[in-house]
Amino acid sequence: MNVTILAANGQIAHLVEERLLTEPTFKDIQLTLILRHPERLSELNDNPRVTLLDGDLTNPTDVIQATKDADLIWSAVVDHDQTNRPTKNIIAAAKLNGVERVVETSLLGLYNEAPGEFGDWNRDYGGTG
């Protein structure tokens, strides 16, 4: 299975990548990781299961290229763009490349909108996002 992780240097993405690369259950998964400045994940350069791509999620060509062989797209981006270019590009690339499975993760409570104990836990666990 080929999994593309978009915004691959984020906290949630790191958790997913670590599990996919270390747990025996996922030993057959190939990862394509797209991020600006892929040198930030240089420790994965020599991993035969990982392809690092330099890309910008606001650039449709970068997203299409990163997802062209994907069976699943994992989006770890917090889309702050005024016109939601990253999200629109991900959806368009998935459709174009025939990818039927897209997982979207981001940080809830970015603006402290999650109330109560859950909001406290989320803030403490998520830190500064």
Side-chain angles (χ1 to χ4, degrees):
M1 173 182 240
N2 296 318
V3 174
T4 296
I5 299 180
L6 307 169
N9 196 43
Q11 289 178 332
I12 295 170
H14 279 290
L15 294 171
V16 173
E17 293 155 12
E18 180 180 349
R19 290 192 68 183
L20 292 177
L21 290 171
T22 61
E23 293 183 18
T25 303
F26 306 119
K27 68 182 176 5
D28 295 325
I29 289 180
Q30 299 294 315
L31 290 178
T32 299
L33 307 177
I34 182 174
L35 65 155
R36 289 177 294 191
H37 311 292
E39 65 275 4
R40 292 186 280 185
L41 295 179
S42 62
E43 71 276 7
L44 298 176
N45 275 338
D46 295 327
N47 189 316
R49 293 176 48 207
V50 175
T51 300
L52 294 172
L53 298 177
D54 186 353
D56 183 343
L57 300 183
T58 64
N59 180 333
T61 303
D62 289 353
V63 181
I64 291 166
Q65 181 65 28
T67 61
K68 70 179 169 98
D69 295 320
D71 297 302
L72 181 141
I73 298 169
W74 190 291
S75 172
V77 66
V78 178
D79 187 349
H80 293 294
D81 187 80
Q82 293 293 324
T83 60
N84 299 109
R85 287 178 296 170
T87 299
K88 289 175 181 175
N89 290 340
I90 293 163
I91 293 167
K95 287 179 180 179
L96 181 70
N97 289 323
V99 182
E100 296 180 1
R101 295 184 284 177
V102 178
V103 176
E104 166 61 37
T105 60
S106 70
L107 187 61
L108 176 68
L110 187 63
Y111 303 105
N112 294 317
E113 72 275 10
E117 285 183 46
F118 176 74
D120 293 342
W121 172 86
N122 186 65
R123 181 195 61 243
D124 294 345
Y125 183 76
T128 61

